[in-house]
Amino acid sequence: MHSTGTVPQSAPASSETRAVPVEDPHGDTGRHARRFGLPVATALVMGNIIGGGIFLLPASIAPYGTVSLVAFGVLTVGAIALALVFGRLAARDPRTGGPYVYAREAFGDFAGFLAAWAYWITTWVSNAALAVAAVGYLDVLIPVGGHAWTACLAALALQWLPALANFAGTRYVGAVQLVSTVLKFVPLLLVAVGGLFFFDPSRLGPFNASGHGAVGAVSASAALLLFSYLGVESAAVSAGEVRDARRNVGRATVIGTAGAALVYLLGTLSVFGTVAHDRLVTSTAPFSDAVNTMFGGSWGGTAVALAALVSMTGCLNGWTLLSAQTPYAAAKDGLFPAAFARRRRGVPTVGVGVTVALSSLLTAYNYLSGSGKVFEVLVLVTTFTATVPYLLATTAQIFHLVSGRGPVDRARLVRDSVITSVAAAFSIWLMAGAGYAAVYQGVLFLFVGIIVYAVLAARRHRREAATDGRV
């Protein structure tokens, strides 16, 4: 059985009624459902972080110039701070749901719902963005990008294949995640390490090509780059499926984030130094272009494109699971429609189905509406919606630190306070860097969520009133 953990004795009390999620009585056992150990949990974090973003973002941030490498460094510090915060929160409360669980336990139902709603939006919008990025590499192997319809159909197929793996059960999700994570490191390490031997500073281009100040350029490029670090919370969101979650979630989160950061920094630097700046700005497959530059011909780029597709498919596999986990946890507490609490073979199948349907509709709309730079638009919206649960989780940790419940270790308190402050400042900075358009669209998504919450809360209140009337 999957244990969802218990609320720690030091958890803050509230006047609101908060039901601790109980075990799912349907379909949670059997040979298709399996709990994750530290290796698979780490692979889930790294696989979700290192997905489509790294394979396309060098081209997306190239217009800002090499100042974006500074943004990568700052972003890495913030991502590791977030990883440490999630590790501490998971040790306190190792239930499935991640930011939703932490926000609800600290601040109540409404904050928990906002975290769950924003994170759910993040997952299906990012799935659409990942599929768009994957089409760019598929086009290297099979010409599908020349027409909107063929590109759209390819992107939809890339989203539904991982969904089918999720419907098969957590056993298959973990296997696909582990294999794809291992395979993706081949092209990444080839470019990240091998590219340093072909590095040519003359290809780097200008330091700041954005036309704005250095601080503004760093913030703007960081907003795009955050998409590459989405997934730092993966183990925390799936904590109920991780063995010895209080210990392994934190370890998997920190190890996975640090490993991904190292690969990211070296890989982006190598692409910048091997592909000429003017060519990189218009590239749809920058890692393929880098390998072709390093070795000549097109065979290397074809191999990288194939490995990139494997990587992105694995990433979509992991994100599809995460997309259903937070709504599942919220539905168990009555804060999402009850259908999202249905689980089969360890996977919340309704959540998976609804999420992949929404991401498919968004993908089709963005392709067929003729909007340019589909990937960048989706990434910036995702950046804003991701910072909402990140900030709520971080402030939940601040709440626990300031409330001072239980014995206090002064050295640990100072260390955790510094780390949490960095993570909070980092989240706010990223929200500002997403830009007015992304914040506008993201806020509209959140406002729709408030209406949904009002309806669900009213229905729950009516049920509770009816129950009280019968007593």
Side-chain angles (χ1 to χ4, degrees):
M1 298 289 287
H2 292 294
S3 172
T4 53
T6 58
V7 178
Q9 294 302 311
S10 59
S14 170
S15 58
E16 298 183 56
T17 300
R18 303 188 197 155
V20 177
V22 295
E23 195 58 62
D24 183 9
H26 306 293
D28 231 8
T29 59
R31 61 191 180 91
H32 299 290
R34 180 175 296 174
R35 302 188 75 192
F36 303 146
L38 178 61
V40 174
T42 303
L44 185 65
V45 174
M46 294 192 72
N48 286 351
I49 293 177
I50 304 177
I54 184 60
F55 288 102
L56 192 61
L57 276 176
S60 298
I61 62 175
Y64 295 99
T66 52
V67 69
S68 56
L69 295 176
V70 177
F72 237 136
V74 175
L75 196 66
T76 298
V77 173
I80 292 177
L82 270 178
L84 291 169
V85 168
F86 279 120
R88 295 292 295 157
L89 288 168
R92 170 184 292 273
D93 193 345
R95 288 180 286 161
T96 292
Y100 158 73
V101 172
Y102 313 142
R104 181 172 183 259
E105 188 56 42
F107 308 122
D109 286 348
F110 183 63
F113 173 83
L114 278 183
W117 181 263
Y119 190 74
W120 183 52
I121 292 171
T122 299
T123 55
W124 57 263
V125 174
S126 66
N127 276 3
L130 278 171
V132 170
V135 168
Y137 280 92
L138 179 62
D139 193 51
V140 175
L141 306 173
I142 306 171
V144 295
H147 193 280
W149 275 107
T150 56
C152 180
L153 290 175
L156 294 178
L158 288 166
Q159 292 174 66
W160 279 94
L161 287 174
L164 294 177
N166 272 263
F167 286 133
T170 53
R171 176 182 181 182
Y172 298 100
V173 173
V176 171
Q177 201 64 33
L178 194 57
V179 171
S180 63
T181 299
V182 171
L183 290 178
K184 75 176 61 178
F185 273 96
V186 176
L188 287 174
L189 291 177
L190 175 65
V191 174
V193 178
L196 297 178
F197 295 96
F198 296 87
F199 191 89
D200 184 351
S202 66
R203 297 190 177 113
L204 290 175
F207 176 71
N208 184 0
S210 67
H212 303 288
V215 174
V218 168
S219 296
S221 56
L224 282 174
L225 287 168
L226 173 65
F227 184 77
S228 297
Y229 279 102
L230 292 183
V232 64
E233 73 293 336
S234 299
V237 171
S238 296
E241 281 62 60
V242 178
R243 289 194 299 270
D244 192 10
R246 293 185 189 275
R247 183 166 179 254
N248 284 335
V249 166
R251 294 169 67 194
T253 301
V254 174
I255 294 171
T257 304
L262 180 61
V263 173
Y264 271 174
L265 290 170
L266 288 178
T268 305
L269 180 63
S270 293
V271 171
F272 270 45
T274 52
V275 182
H277 181 261
D278 57 347
R279 182 183 174 191
L280 182 60
V281 169
T282 59
S283 175
T284 59
F287 271 71
S288 290
D289 291 340
V291 173
N292 288 338
T293 301
M294 290 161 57
F295 300 109
S298 61
W299 68 268
T302 300
V304 169
L306 182 61
L309 279 175
V310 172
S311 169
M312 295 180 192
T313 302
C315 188
L316 282 165
N317 174 69
W319 271 106
T320 300
L321 175 64
L322 292 187
S323 70
Q325 294 285 27
T326 297
Y328 164 78
K332 299 278 282 185
D333 294 331
L335 299 182
F336 249 64
F340 284 85
R342 297 174 188 168
R343 191 150 67 163
R344 184 169 178 264
R345 296 176 174 177
V347 175
T349 50
V350 172
V352 169
V354 172
T355 297
V356 73
L358 287 172
S359 65
S360 297
L361 289 173
L362 182 60
T363 301
Y365 170 77
N366 276 278
Y367 270 114
L368 302 180
S369 66
S371 59
K373 295 194 173 183
V374 176
F375 180 76
E376 285 82 353
V377 171
L378 294 176
V379 163
L380 288 174
V381 172
T382 304
T383 297
F384 172 77
T385 56
T387 56
V388 174
Y390 286 178
L391 186 59
L392 284 170
T394 304
T395 51
Q397 175 70 346
I398 292 174
F399 173 83
H400 294 310
L401 292 173
V402 175
S403 65
R405 292 175 179 266
V408 176
D409 181 329
R410 186 171 297 276
R412 169 170 282 187
L413 177 63
V414 172
R415 183 193 66 187
D416 286 352
S417 298
V418 171
I419 291 172
T420 307
S421 298
V422 171
F426 171 71
S427 299
I428 294 172
W429 172 56
L430 285 170
M431 189 175 290
Y436 292 108
V439 171
Y440 168 74
Q441 295 176 57
V443 167
L444 289 179
F445 279 126
L446 292 181
F447 282 179
V448 171
I450 293 173
I451 297 173
V452 172
Y453 175 80
V455 173
L456 292 173
R459 292 175 62 183
R460 186 175 56 170
H461 179 74
R462 186 172 61 190
R463 287 195 301 268
E464 291 173 353
T467 302
D468 293 340
R470 288 195 299 267
V471 174

